[in-house]
Amino acid sequence: MKFDSPAGENLFDRATVIGQPIHRIDGPLKVTGHAPYAYERHAVVEGQVYGYPVGAGIAKGRILAIDTTAAEAAPGVLGIVTTLEHDPIEGVFDYDPVRHFGGDEVLHYHQAIAVVVAETFEQARAAANRLGIEYERDDSAAFDLAATPEAAGETDTAPAQTVGDFESAFASAAVTLDETYTTPAESHAMMEPHATIAAWDGDSVTLWTSNQMIAWGRGSIAKAFDVPAENVRLDSPYIGGGFGVKLFVRSDAIMAGLAARKVGRPVKVALPRPMIANNTTHRGETIQRIRIGADADGRITAIGHHNATNALTTAGGENSTLPTVAFYAAANRLVVNDPARMDLPNSNAMRAPGETAGLMAFEVAMDEMAEKLGMDPVELRILNDTQVDPGNPDIPFSDRHYVECLNRGAEAFGWSSRNSAPGATRDGVWLIGHGVAGAYRPAPVLASGARVVLTPDGRLRIESDMTDIGTGSYTVMAQTAAEVMGLSVADVSIGLGDSDFPVSAGSGGQWGAASATAGVYAACVALRQAIAERLDMAEGDLTFENGMVRTGNTSVPLGEVGGGTDLVGEDAIEFGAFRSQEVLVATFGAHFVEVGVHAHTGEIRVRRMLAVCDAGRILNPMTARSQVIGAMTMGVGAAIMEEMAVDHRYGFFVNHDLAGYEVPVHFDIPSQDVIFLETADAYSTPLKAKGVGELGLCGVSAAVANAITNATGVRVRNYPVTLDKLLSGLPAA
Amino acid sequence: MRAFSYERATSPQGAARALAATEGAKFIAGGTNLLDLMKLEIETPTHLVDVNDLGLDTIEDSADGGLRIGAMVRNTDLAAHARVRRDYAVLTRALVAGASGQLRNKATTAGNLLQRTRCPYFYDTNMPCNKRAPGSGCAAIDGYSRQLGIIGTSEACIATHPSDMAVAMRALDASVETVNADGDTRTMPLADLHRLPGDTPENETTLEPGEMITAVTLPPAIGGRHFYHKVRDRSSYAFALVSVAAVVQADGTGRVALGGVAPKPWRREEAEAALPDGAAAAMAAILDGATPTDDNAFKVTLAERTLTAVLAQAQE
């Protein structure tokens, strides 16, 4: 099915199943431990043994030798694969061209350099510690972003956006801001580590793994092991969080495959927690110079944004300028993204890549501008809204309700009673502050396929390689099929994450739900046509409701149409160029936060949070809300505690476990409210839906930071805003 | 984890004897720290002597009106004990500020005292660390040291002792009872249990080889208002940046011990005379001679401000 013009009125507008707050259908399996994650899939293949990975102990250099004698002699050991016995396996996917394994070069700390296979996990781990590894360290490495020419703005990297004449507009603006903000490297810190069981059968390999993008992963594995893609099967039905770190296959899958081939047994490998920080990917560190010029009334005339970020490969870095090009109006703009080639592990996508770090800085800059202008920060944002692409005013936003997000939020939050004077509101020993920030994130989609099978018992089965990374894919896809076929969700079963199923959009970039539900719709339309053919009717004359297909006064139970055999519909949604060429399709939001800051110690406690989201049709308000409050929680972490600390001498993230890398605990998260605007974006998908999982994170941290400034009068431009950065500026207690 | 042998001791002296009998043996109680260290091969005991079944899990009134806490009393049980809550509230508050419910259910009184630092460089075996590998150097001093010590440290090591419980016990003038393989017992002030690192940071306590802690004793209750203010970046389940255990009397006198700043629970009794003069004076004396790094210099200010908060609360 080609989506080549905006959706008209259609069956989704009735929203009898879609749009309903249905509990997630995989929920009972998950809360009762019956949804096995990759490492726990003991039943999928006989004879599983354990591979324990070893990461490089230096950040840059060469491996001179690996002595395996003692490890080979250790109890239970079945085999050892070292990096020295393989050519480099790298560049297996364009968006992630890292080296996974192989060769004697060490490119970053904890690069995978060996895997030891044994009968038990404990034996493998103990033997892995017996490897004798000899390194030659290269001291020429670059680990400090602040020391790079990119951070100093000394490169001549081509701008990502130039509109008008930024420099002269900025120079002549009545009110200006020129500040530098930093955001640290962040870890995805998902609960389920990377894990894979690999088993070979001749030249074919199956990987039971944890991966967001099955078709990408299948291609990568085929390339890594030099086998045809059809010889590779990936299966990933349950995923314990991804946040982007599982978009691409990682070294667990590579090592499991290599080890399984070497020992001739199925091998399972999980990355130990410390290797997740330094072996895989992270959100890159950023140093952002932001310049904003406005006239005295607050109309922004000039926006400048320069971003420096760490990248080990050409596909690395956190491009914090992504939202800047389109979020606010300004006739003069200069936007530069300038990744610095560094020897830290490669940075890559983490939930709302670009927007997260970008809005952490830009939405603080907006707060500072409001302060300079003596304006309310909500008003400033409303004044500078745009309904067209600021870089190309001929291109409108398809459906943008940012102003309504701000207004609805301000009203619901009680913004008008906020004290704009910083450091002036107290509740006992707590300094109270309120902050606002805007949210912006594009609404990309990818082609997405599915197969639906109507069985004689009247039930429908959906098959797709779409993944559910905790987001609710199972549920919204079942709702879509139920809506189209006139069934209830209980009549629908669904299998996901298997590369034997039709290729879907997968999960990433908040494209998953919008794309995959459109794919299910396409497959269901194909099934409806098959049914119509079977009944020798025109599809348009049929009504599907309550498990029946009806025409005129005649109703037939759906299950009987096939006459005892299955009826199958298979198709994919493909998105036409109009969607990306004629309009900007994006999502919008506003975050409002109240914090308390301890007047003596500077301890920060978020007290209440509100998000207002404009993301088109909400497919399921319950799972969507879960996405948004989870994202808000992640935003609190980024605002006040999360930082992967870089050791600039040894070149690694030091706090590489969940004791050292703090994420919010329950007690950090107060009452959270989410309001979804009732919008529907006809340019987005047939369901008029857009993603929401990343939108929820955009701007949250800035709202927290702005609230802290309102509470204390201290402006911190270096995230995370920890108490040590507040102490010297707190008002007298 | 290296392979090890295991035995379950049946008496305190038997445990001490078992330990002395095997080179490289260690006691295991709750295992909440030791097992992690064994998995990382930072600790590589050849033999474990399980001390959970020695009957050391009771809390009793002592003859002098104080309290005797068995070495194997779990943190949860100690925190919930009626007399602890009534007479030694600072201890309950410190205990529940530490770890998580699951860990406190398992962690023991003596094990808590003998847990090891959480310095990240101690935990990464690729890094130099004088505590883990004596003579290899300290990666932390010029590295990521935000969490680490500011006083009592040395040029060889700036690790902190991570316990909350021990900080409160230090403020309460606790003592430690031990037994050795010969059955000799002794009692020492908790203040004397932990060593400062000097140039041998691997030696963390004054216990003799094989000597086992059997109890912690608290002197009779001293009244006053009890506070444990633990400051950290998140609201729970994190080690202290700075913690203040304080017992403040109505006349403004009192006791103060600090956590998160030193290789042992940090208290200077002589500095407490300045307490009625306010937090600034008292903390200046308590932290006199501090040598923070650039990363953790804020702890000096934070300690003073935390004590200010506690004293303000004491006056409410």
Side-chain angles (χ1 to χ4, degrees):
Chain A
M1 176 186 286
K2 190 91 186 258
F3 184 65
D4 51 12
S5 62
E9 200 172 310
N10 63 29
L11 64 89
F12 296 107
D13 295 321
R14 69 187 184 190
T16 56
V17 189
I18 208 74
Q20 298 302 312
I22 292 169
H23 284 277
R24 83 177 48 193
I25 58 180
D26 50 327
L29 291 177
K30 287 189 171 163
V31 298
T32 58
H34 286 86
Y37 292 86
Y39 203 76
E40 307 157 350
R41 300 190 69 185
H42 312 300
V44 291
V45 59
E46 293 281 319
Q48 298 175 23
V49 292
Y50 295 80
Y52 195 84
V54 178
I58 62 170
K60 191 177 185 188
R62 235 159 48 80
I63 296 172
L64 302 177
I66 299 179
D67 181 353
T68 59
T69 319
E72 278 167 6
V77 170
L78 298 168
I80 299 169
V81 185
T82 81
T83 191
L84 298 178
E85 67 195 69
H86 272 278
D87 290 336
I89 294 174
E90 63 186 341
V92 297
F93 198 72
D94 287 351
Y95 302 160
D96 179 46
V98 297
R99 179 169 302 182
H100 287 297
F101 198 82
D104 66 350
E105 259 185 302
V106 175
L107 302 174
H108 63 85
Y109 194 75
H110 274 175
Q111 178 179 314
I113 59 171
V115 55
V116 178
V117 184
E119 292 285 354
T120 71
F121 171 81
E122 289 76 12
Q123 289 171 334
R125 183 176 58 188
N129 272 312
R130 301 284 82 73
L131 291 177
I133 304 160
E134 209 180 315
Y135 299 102
E136 179 180 78
R137 186 168 142 164
D138 178 347
D139 290 320
S140 70
F143 304 126
D144 185 0
L145 179 62
T148 61
E150 287 82 2
E154 289 165 354
T155 63
D156 51 7
T157 303
Q161 185 187 46
T162 47
V163 180
D165 180 351
F166 168 77
E167 295 293 350
S168 51
F170 183 72
S172 63
V175 178
T176 60
L177 168 137
D178 181 354
E179 295 289 356
T180 297
Y181 305 83
T182 66
T183 65
E186 292 173 3
S187 177
H188 303 77
M190 68 293 173
M191 285 306 296
E192 184 203 15
H194 300 273
T196 301
I197 302 169
W200 288 89
D201 178 7
D203 286 337
S204 295
V205 65
T206 301
L207 288 90
W208 295 271
T209 189
S210 184
N211 188 288
Q212 299 174 221
M213 298 292 293
I214 298 301
W216 291 2
R218 183 186 213 184
S220 300
I221 290 295
K223 202 164 171 187
F225 298 147
D226 196 21
V227 295
E230 56 268 26
N231 288 15
V232 176
R233 180 174 166 233
L234 256 64
D235 189 34
S236 188
Y238 301 112
I239 297 163
F243 309 118
V245 78
K246 295 174 181 169
L247 284 169
F248 319 110
V249 296
R250 300 247 68 87
S251 63
D252 59 306
I254 305 295
M255 286 187 279
L258 293 176
R261 193 152 64 181
K262 182 156 183 172
V263 304
R265 301 267 296 270
V267 172
K268 62 165 74 177
V269 175
L271 297 188
R273 186 60 66 174
M275 283 184 77
I276 291 168
N278 285 291
N279 175 265
T280 73
T281 69
H282 60 276
R283 188 192 303 287
E285 195 179 342
T286 73
I287 298 176
Q288 306 178 41
R289 182 184 181 196
I290 293 177
R291 287 179 287 173
I292 303 176
D295 66 23
D297 297 332
R299 203 167 293 278
I300 295 173
T301 54
I303 290 176
H305 194 170
H306 179 278
N307 180 62
T309 180
N310 62 293
L312 176 63
T313 72
T314 49
E318 171 79 358
N319 181 1
S320 67
T321 67
L322 283 179
T324 314
V325 299
F327 196 13
Y328 292 109
N332 304 282
R333 317 168 75 92
L334 176 62
V335 176
V336 182
N337 179 43
D338 209 359
R341 165 70 183 72
M342 292 176 61
D343 298 297
L344 293 168
N346 196 40
S347 58
N348 205 312
M350 176 169 151
R351 198 175 197 173
E355 279 76 16
T356 300
L359 294 171
M360 283 169 80
F362 202 90
E363 287 296 301
V364 170
M366 287 295 280
D367 204 59
E368 296 200 63
M369 275 303 282
E371 204 174 85
K372 284 169 181 267
L373 287 156
M375 281 181 78
D376 183 279
V378 171
E379 290 306 314
L380 176 67
R381 288 175 170 87
I382 290 172
L383 181 66
N384 290 288
D385 184 47
T386 177
Q387 290 294 318
V388 297
D389 179 353
N392 184 356
D394 294 338
I395 305 289
F397 281 98
S398 57
D399 195 49
R400 171 169 166 141
H401 304 277
Y402 178 43
V403 170
E404 194 182 341
C405 291
L406 289 162
N407 283 329
R408 280 282 298 278
E411 190 188 333
F413 191 74
W415 183 255
S416 61
S417 58
R418 168 195 189 241
N419 184 349
S420 63
T425 306
R426 296 283 290 253
D427 176 4
V429 77
W430 295 93
L431 301 162
I432 306 302
H434 300 90
V436 64
Y440 173 84
R441 167 80 187 160
V445 285
L446 289 179
S448 195
R451 178 162 53 229
V452 290
V453 181
L454 177 62
T455 48
D457 56 4
R459 292 183 56 81
L460 190 77
R461 175 165 179 81
I462 305 171
E463 295 172 343
S464 166
D465 84 353
M466 179 60 189
T467 49
D468 188 323
I469 61 174
T471 42
S473 307
Y474 280 106
T475 311
V476 295
M477 290 170 77
Q479 284 176 268
T480 304
E483 186 76 76
V484 180
M485 300 310 299
L487 296 166
S488 75
V489 167
D491 298 324
V492 180
S493 59
I494 178 164
L496 296 181
D498 187 334
S499 61
D500 285 349
F501 295 153
V503 173
S504 74
S507 297
Q510 81 169 7
W511 62 62
S515 306
T517 52
V520 169
Y521 170 61
C524 287
V525 168
L527 176 62
R528 284 167 59 133
Q529 277 158 353
I531 290 168
E533 276 168 32
R534 191 93 189 180
L535 297 174
D536 202 16
M537 308 282 296
E539 193 263 341
D541 294 339
L542 301 178
T543 301
F544 294 81
E545 58 186 15
N546 302 324
M548 313 284 280
V549 53
R550 178 167 58 79
T551 177
N553 294 327
T554 316
S555 282
V556 183
L558 265 185
E560 291 177 12
V561 177
T565 61
D566 294 349
L567 289 177
V568 179
E570 180 172 340
D571 196 4
I573 190 82
E574 285 167 36
F575 293 91
F578 82 99
R579 192 186 184 281
S580 51
Q581 290 174 2
E582 294 173 15
V583 287
L584 275 186
V585 186
T587 61
F588 312 89
H591 289 279
F592 294 82
V593 170
E594 177 179 304
V595 301
V597 178
H598 194 288
H600 294 293
T601 63
E603 290 161 281
I604 300 159
R605 298 287 180 265
V606 177
R607 292 158 65 106
R608 75 195 164 96
M609 309 180 77
L610 168 68
V612 185
C613 299
D614 167 25
R617 185 191 309 288
I618 298 303
L619 300 166
N620 179 328
M622 187 181 294
T623 56
R625 180 179 185 277
S626 291
Q627 282 295 292
V628 175
I629 63 175
M632 290 157 78
T633 302
M634 201 175 222
V636 170
I640 64 174
M641 64 187 80
E642 290 186 41
E643 171 176 22
M644 289 220 287
V646 183
D647 187 305
H648 293 145
R649 306 156 305 161
Y650 294 98
F652 75 119
F653 298 116
V654 184
N655 49 341
H656 49 46
D657 58 36
L658 290 178
Y661 185 82
E662 291 180 17
V663 298
V665 296
H666 286 90
F667 197 47
D668 290 309
I669 302 304
S671 117
Q672 295 176 316
D673 283 323
V674 183
I675 296 171
F676 293 110
L677 297 188
E678 289 187 16
T679 58
D681 192 336
Y683 279 83
S684 186
T685 76
L687 287 82
K688 306 173 189 173
K690 298 186 278 200
V692 74
E694 298 193 338
L695 175 68
L697 176 57
C698 297
V700 179
S701 307
V704 175
N706 293 337
I708 292 169
T709 300
N710 181 242
T712 63
V714 183
R715 183 70 72 181
V716 177
R717 300 186 184 88
N718 306 298
Y719 286 99
V721 186
T722 45
L723 59 90
D724 47 303
K725 298 169 187 173
L726 301 176
L727 286 180
S728 63
L730 291 179
Chain B
M1 189 182 281
R2 302 263 180 101
F4 58 89
S5 52
Y6 170 89
E7 73 175 286
R8 187 169 293 173
T10 52
S11 73
Q13 187 189 347
R17 200 177 294 136
L19 202 85
T22 309
E23 176 80 22
K26 287 197 89 79
F27 296 123
I28 183 163
T32 58
N33 186 212
L34 180 62
L35 292 177
D36 282 350
L37 293 166
M38 288 171 65
K39 291 172 187 173
L40 295 164
E41 297 199 6
I42 294 164
E43 297 270 16
T44 53
T46 57
H47 184 65
L48 288 183
V49 179
D50 188 324
V51 293
N52 283 289
D53 291 342
L54 307 184
L56 299 177
D57 54 356
T58 58
I59 303 172
E60 296 157 0
D61 295 342
S62 50
D64 66 356
L67 206 61
R68 187 170 186 280
I69 303 158
M72 292 303 118
V73 171
R74 308 289 153 173
N75 286 178
T76 298
D77 296 329
L78 182 56
H81 189 265
R83 265 205 74 198
V84 175
R85 294 178 61 162
R86 189 185 71 209
D87 294 339
Y88 308 100
V90 64
L91 179 54
T92 289
R93 294 196 168 115
L95 281 161
V96 299
S100 65
Q102 293 91 333
L103 287 166
R104 292 194 296 268
N105 288 343
K106 197 76 186 150
T108 64
T109 304
N112 186 305
L113 294 175
L114 298 179
Q115 67 179 307
R116 308 200 67 189
T117 186
R118 298 311 199 277
C119 174
Y121 294 95
F122 177 70
Y123 277 78
D124 191 325
T125 52
N126 293 313
M127 292 295 130
C129 171
N130 288 321
K131 187 185 281 296
R132 172 171 36 77
S136 62
C138 173
I141 289 175
D142 294 320
Y144 173 61
S145 58
R146 184 168 183 273
Q147 286 278 347
L148 302 177
I150 59 172
I151 194 160
T153 53
S154 72
E155 288 179 6
C157 183
I158 60 169
T160 53
H161 191 268
S163 173
D164 293 298
M165 181 197 81
V167 179
M169 286 180 170
R170 181 72 181 86
L172 293 169
D173 279 338
S175 292
V176 174
E177 293 181 2
T178 70
V179 64
N180 70 11
D182 298 329
D184 302 331
T185 60
R186 67 167 173 154
T187 301
M188 72 172 104
L190 175 61
D192 295 343
L193 175 66
H194 297 102
R195 293 173 186 269
L196 295 180
D199 44 18
T200 55
E202 70 277 19
N203 295 333
E204 295 175 350
T205 72
T206 56
L207 295 175
E208 299 294 329
E211 188 175 7
M212 191 182 81
I213 297 174
T214 50
V216 171
T217 57
L218 301 179
I222 57 167
R225 296 188 66 186
H226 290 221
F227 301 92
Y228 191 76
H229 193 139
K230 180 177 182 180
V231 180
R232 42 191 163 174
D233 292 318
R234 64 180 172 190
S235 55
S236 180
Y237 202 41
F239 292 97
L241 294 167
V242 165
S243 66
V244 170
V247 180
V248 185
Q249 304 295 343
D251 62 2
T253 62
R255 302 173 178 187
V256 177
L258 302 182
V261 296
K264 60 191 290 186
W266 193 253
R267 182 177 172 204
R268 278 180 177 155
E269 282 85 339
E270 66 277 16
E272 289 164 0
L275 211 51
D277 301 330
M283 197 54 74
I286 293 168
L287 291 180
D288 184 38
T291 54
T293 65
D294 289 349
D295 264 12
N296 65 26
F298 74 92
K299 288 190 176 190
V300 176
T301 312
L302 181 60
E304 181 196 315
R305 296 188 71 116
T306 308
L307 183 57
T308 303
V310 165
L311 295 182
Q313 219 181 327
Q315 282 166 14
E316 279 171 7

